[in-house]
Amino acid sequence: MTRAERITVIGGGGWGIALANLLAAEGPVTLWEFFPYAMEMLRDQRIRPEVLPDIQLEESILVTGDPRQAMEDSALALFVVPSHALRDVARSFAPHIPPGLLVASATKGLETDSHKRMSTVLVEELGEHPLVVLSGPSHAEEVSRGMPTTLVAASDDEALARRLQEWLMRPQMRVYTSRDVVGVELGGSLKNIIAIAAGMCAALGYGDNAMGAIITRGLAEIARLGVALGAHPYTFMGLSGLGDLITTCISPNSRNRRFGERIGRGETMQEIVEGSAMVVEGIYTVKSAHELAEKLGIAMPVTDAVWGVLYDGLEPATAARELMTRQPRAEDEA
Amino acid sequence: MTRAERITVIGGGGWGIALANLLAAEGPVTLWEFFPYAMEMLRDQRIRPEVLPDIQLEESILVTGDPRQAMEDSALALFVVPSHALRDVARSFAPHIPPGLLVASATKGLETDSHKRMSTVLVEELGEHPLVVLSGPSHAEEVSRGMPTTLVAASDDEALARRLQEWLMRPQMRVYTSRDVVGVELGGSLKNIIAIAAGMCAALGYGDNAMGAIITRGLAEIARLGVALGAHPYTFMGLSGLGDLITTCISPNSRNRRFGERIGRGETMQEIVEGSAMVVEGIYTVKSAHELAEKLGIAMPVTDAVWGVLYDGLEPATAARELMTRQPRAEDEA
């Protein structure tokens, strides 16, 4: 152990388990989980088979379902819950997070209806805290198996980002810092929309040429929206933008891509969501992005296509064909 | 047929065959091939099994090995030969290309030793001509099977780029124009280096998290070199930069990625090259890029790693590990 401080990981899903194990190798860790069955499974069996079938939770990790106990002696509250649960979870933690405590978010998504970023939700529920956002191309399965991975730690205060960098850096885990919280959060959220499109196209028999094009044009529209929302354009070319986008679009481990594949094969959103415990963040993010793009007057053809298929009765094959047959144009036009 | 002009495709490799077939659907095409056995096979059997096993050459295409005959009645000389052959082939065509004729290059690479771009080589051998460069994520196999693909046609003179756009645009082929000839050519050349690195890492058991990171960091260094050589940074975020890079890195059809995989499994460059008729452009490009980066003082860690493995006795596993364990830093540092 080389880290003295205890870190609290809030959320025992796949990414929470992976981060808890990674952090436990260097110092004390507490893992909080909301669902009693999952908390007990993690505490007693040290495994949560429906999210990470082959991964054992480190023995040293204290598991609890009680926010008060979870925050005892903690130097960092690291939120890793699904985006739709973050506000309620943060509210239940608020009384137990003392002023000035370091808070971090590894949750990717936008709040439905309000379209707020996760760090905004945290500030609203916890008050002002030193805050870091964690993102990047990091499927939990691969991190858990020690496969090489990069992350970005973003904060207005670079010293805080460097603290997370120091705690997470390993031979197989490379962490970069950034000061663009807005860009890092938006990249991690909006990529899920493009991953759904990538899955749809793969199911329709599109190949690698189309995949390169969809990711490229998808990144361009993500960056357009992001810049309008205050992000630095450069951020979208980095690991939390492009890197995460590529990994999510090409990986069979990506829930959003897998969801898109099933949509492309003709299943309905209802059928898929009802049969699965996994959260497909992109289903919600595409609604927010579609509404924001309309409000701000930003062209987002891939987002429009995914939104149309999920919420407006558009056929996947028609949506994909429309993307390929828009008017000829120059590449720097929208 | 909707195109009256005859187009000459110069080079009967995979991409030349795919482009010839695509262009033949709308108008007259002549295909020139250097190697007599390949030319005769294409002329008589309408197939070249060692490069595109299942693809028939369109019956309407005139096949020849004679530059003079190849250019008869032609409105466009479209060069699609390997980069190391371009200067000699262009020289043999020079007497048959009249002043003012439209010339295009679909060859990706840099000339060894001189580090010149392909369009520079063409100008040196043919004199000044109206010139368009064609690039983008376009594996010949997929284009030949009618799978959705995007291309970029770049020219200083936008009207010329639009002419190629008009001739190539199909329901399954979307063509964008660009005015950044330098950026489009460099993106198409330098991506092969990163694809070799991607193949090496895949063979070493790295996963999708690492792939997202390698492509992202690879694009950053390509853009750094490209901008120093006069390209517009935006171009590298587009289809001829990022798009082609992704397709080449993830596709099992990519020769450069496959070459990298074999290097990663411990084969030597010599063994691989001697056993194959296919040209692996990245082997040459990495030498040029490495020399240019050194001369211009530009940090290119992925390029350095690939160069070290191919030309300096570095072990692939050591090279990959070094990439992941460099000093911690901010994302916008090199």
Side-chain angles (χ1 to χ4, degrees), chain B residues 267-279:
Chain B
E267 292 182 68
T268 66
M269 179 158 63
Q270 197 98 358
E271 285 167 1
I272 303 168
V273 170
E274 278 172 7
S276 167
M278 295 268 209
V279 178

Side-chain angles (χ1 to χ4, degrees), chain A residues 142 174 208 239 326 331, chain B residues 142 174 208 239 326 331:
Chain A
E142 293 193 359
R174 186 162 172 77
D208 299 318
L239 295 164
R326 296 168 68 222
E331 201 181 8
Chain B
E142 294 193 358
R174 188 164 172 75
D208 299 317
L239 294 165
R326 296 168 67 223
E331 200 181 10

Side-chain angles (χ1 to χ4, degrees), chain A:
Chain A
M1 297 227 183
T2 60
R3 187 189 72 241
E5 300 92 340
R6 176 170 290 275
I7 288 175
T8 305
V9 175
I10 298 166
W15 190 212
I17 292 168
L19 283 171
N21 274 345
L22 189 83
L23 289 162
E26 300 272 329
V29 170
T30 302
L31 177 63
W32 175 91
E33 166 57 34
F34 174 76
F35 290 109
Y37 80 90
M39 188 279 286
E40 284 161 21
M41 184 81 99
L42 285 166
R43 186 189 61 197
D44 303 335
Q45 319 287 331
R46 317 304 291 182
I47 192 163
R48 191 171 171 190
E50 82 275 24
V51 296
L52 282 178
D54 304 316
I55 304 301
Q56 286 287 121
L57 190 71
E58 293 293 334
E59 283 303 327
S60 67
I61 296 169
L62 176 68
V63 180
T64 176
D66 173 12
R68 190 194 51 74
Q69 194 193 1
M71 290 312 301
E72 266 172 21
D73 293 324
S74 179
L76 168 66
L78 171 53
F79 288 87
V80 203
V81 295
S83 67
H84 64 81
L86 184 68
R87 189 175 287 279
D88 287 345
V89 171
R91 194 168 293 168
S92 72
F93 269 78
H96 313 292
I97 296 183
L101 193 85
L102 184 57
V103 169
S105 164
T107 295
K108 295 173 181 175
L110 295 171
E111 193 176 43
T112 315
D113 299 327
S114 82
H115 313 325
K116 284 173 181 162
R117 288 176 289 107
M118 296 295 105
S119 64
T120 308
V121 171
L122 285 178
V123 168
E124 287 179 355
E125 295 301 327
L126 306 175
E128 290 289 343
H129 278 264
L131 195 132
V132 182
V133 157
L134 210 59
S135 196
S138 50
H139 278 300
E141 293 83 344
E142 293 193 359
V143 172
S144 298
R145 282 189 247 123
M147 293 167 79
T149 298
T150 54
L151 286 174
V152 176
S155 179
D156 298 335
D157 179 349
E158 206 180 342
L160 300 178
R162 278 204 297 267
R163 205 140 145 218
L164 267 284
Q165 183 182 48
E166 190 186 302
W167 284 342
L168 288 163
M169 201 90 167
R170 303 278 186 282
Q172 76 280 16
M173 172 63 79
R174 186 162 172 77
V175 185
Y176 291 81
T177 60
S178 164
R179 282 195 281 198
D180 184 8
V181 172
V182 177
V184 167
E185 283 195 292
L186 289 175
S189 305
L190 299 171
K191 55 128 194 183
N192 286 324
I193 301 167
I194 313 302
I196 293 175
M200 275 168 33
C201 288
L204 291 163
Y206 287 35
D208 299 318
N209 293 354
M211 187 63 73
I214 289 161
I215 296 176
T216 302
R217 300 303 293 173
L219 181 69
E221 72 179 57
I222 286 176
R224 278 198 295 272
L225 180 60
V227 168
L229 295 171
H232 191 291
Y234 184 91
T235 306
F236 297 101
M237 283 193 74
L239 295 164
S240 64
L242 172 58
D244 198 2
L245 177 64
I246 292 169
T247 297
T248 306
C249 285
I250 67 171
S251 178
N253 288 326
S254 161
R255 298 171 201 180
N256 290 279
R257 168 163 168 150
R258 277 204 310 254
F259 170 83
E261 287 171 11
R262 294 177 66 177
I263 291 285
R265 287 197 295 267
E267 293 183 67
T268 67
M269 178 158 63
Q270 197 98 356
E271 286 166 1
I272 304 169
V273 171
E274 277 171 6
S276 167
M278 295 267 210
V279 178
V280 180
E281 289 283 1
I283 297 175
Y284 310 104
T285 315
V286 71
K287 277 181 81 167
S288 291
H290 184 255
E291 284 170 36
L292 283 167
E294 240 174 29
K295 200 176 95 184
L296 299 166
I298 289 162
M300 297 190 78
V302 182
T303 298
D304 289 348
V306 173
W307 181 85
V309 170
L310 298 188
Y311 297 106
D312 202 30
L314 188 63
E315 285 294 322
T318 311
R321 198 164 50 238
E322 279 176 9
L323 281 178
M324 286 298 293
T325 51
R326 296 168 68 222
Q327 280 301 305
R329 66 194 68 209
E331 201 181 8
D332 52 4
E333 296 174 84

